[in-house]
Amino acid sequence: MTRTGGFQDDDFWTEFHDFLFSEQRYEQAEELLDTSPLLALPDGSRVLDLCCGPGVFTVPLARRGHRVTGVDLSPAMLDRARKRSADAGADVTYVRADARAYEAPGGFDVVLNMFTSFGYFEDPADNARVLRTMYTCLAPGGTLVLDVAGKELLARRVTPPKVVRRGDDLMVQTDTVLDAWARLRSEWVLVRGERVTRATLTWFVYSAVELRRMAEEAGFGRVEVFGGFDGRPYDENAERLVLRAVREA
């Protein structure tokens, strides 16, 4: 049995890659970029994909003519992203950096943070710092689109263990609510033949009200919250918590 160290451990991203980033997820990104009013970017936008992973959004954005920079801390994820970009003939700049510390003041028209890539740091002040990084990287008038599984949605979905099978591999995920809904702990067990890999991941979860307040405290104006990439309200029919905010001049 092996154990990974969680979000900041490359072994985690390597071992669980196929469950985190299925081909269906790449297809979903393409569809969202084609259909979502929240992702209808002006032609030739300068886009920062913060916590870009293996290039799920960076590659199709670049293929649509945007000037894209993907930032991630994981060398393994960046290697996969670079290969995917090369295979697609997409021109993307990739940077290995901590989301708290990346600096490109005013360098982007759009900042994206997708698929619940926010809230990973143990100190809540560090998560607030990531929002300030996003703000600083935007040019005046630039837009942030941040997508997470909201606390209200998770309250409906924290159920008995979830079992996912891909081919001969089996993954079991068990979620536990911590600190009166401040955080969530997920324990993952991956079985590949006789090999068993375990990972424990803990992150902060946010309600719409909490996330809106954090964005405003980071300096953003015109903060809007949606229940999906189709722009639906964040209500009982919401599928995601998607925050859109503007760095005003």
Side-chain angles (χ1 to χ4, degrees):
M1 180 182 296
T2 59
R3 181 176 293 274
T4 75
F7 290 123
Q8 298 193 45
D9 184 347
D10 246 20
D11 288 342
F12 167 72
W13 298 108
T14 300
E15 289 291 325
F16 289 90
H17 174 270
D18 293 345
F19 289 89
L20 291 163
F21 303 104
S22 65
E23 282 304 314
Q24 182 180 4
R25 176 150 288 191
Y26 290 95
E27 293 168 3
Q28 180 187 9
E30 295 275 6
E31 181 181 357
L32 289 175
L33 289 172
D34 285 339
T35 62
S36 171
L38 305 182
L39 297 173
L41 312 184
D43 292 344
S45 291
R46 298 169 298 165
V47 182
L48 170 62
D49 186 359
L50 191 62
C51 305
C52 66
V56 177
F57 280 90
T58 47
V59 175
L61 282 166
R63 287 176 50 241
R64 285 163 172 77
H66 300 297
R67 292 169 286 170
V68 188
T69 298
V71 173
D72 206 284
L73 188 60
S74 165
M77 290 295 94
L78 290 172
D79 285 346
R80 289 179 182 269
R82 290 188 180 101
K83 182 179 186 308
R84 199 168 188 95
S85 296
D87 291 345
D91 184 12
V92 180
T93 299
Y94 289 106
V95 178
R96 181 172 184 256
D98 190 309
R100 296 167 293 185
Y102 178 70
E103 293 185 356
F108 298 95
D109 306 304
V110 179
V111 172
L112 300 181
N113 184 256
M114 309 297 282
F115 291 148
T116 311
S117 298
F118 181 76
Y120 289 172
F121 293 106
E122 294 182 7
D123 185 344
D126 282 336
N127 296 315
R129 186 176 168 192
V130 173
L131 271 171
R132 290 195 297 273
T133 294
M134 297 172 183
Y135 178 86
T136 301
C137 286
L138 282 170
T143 301
L144 165 68
V145 178
L146 191 158
D147 158 53
V148 298
K151 187 182 297 187
E152 300 90 343
L153 305 180
L154 290 167
R156 303 198 309 242
R157 300 174 185 171
V158 175
T159 57
K162 179 172 68 176
V163 179
V164 181
R165 184 181 293 276
R166 295 200 181 279
D168 295 330
D169 298 341
L170 184 72
M171 196 271 287
V172 180
Q173 176 183 342
T174 305
D175 294 330
T176 304
V177 174
L178 303 176
D179 305 331
W181 270 108
R183 298 183 300 156
L184 196 71
R185 181 178 66 229
S186 284
E187 296 174 275
W188 293 22
V189 180
L190 174 61
V191 181
R192 284 195 170 108
E194 296 183 356
R195 182 181 180 186
V196 178
T197 304
R198 293 182 178 272
T200 301
L201 316 170
T202 303
W203 72 99
F204 282 86
V205 293
Y206 300 98
S207 69
V209 170
E210 290 167 333
L211 196 59
R212 181 196 297 272
R213 183 176 64 248
M214 289 176 68
E216 290 172 345
E217 289 174 351
F220 285 99
R222 291 164 50 191
V223 181
E224 302 172 280
V225 174
F226 302 93
F229 283 102
D230 57 1
R232 72 181 65 185
Y234 191 70
D235 57 19
E236 68 277 8
N237 298 311
E239 295 180 348
R240 302 287 299 174
L241 169 49
V242 184
L243 180 142
R244 182 172 66 182
V246 175
R247 176 175 180 174
E248 296 180 324

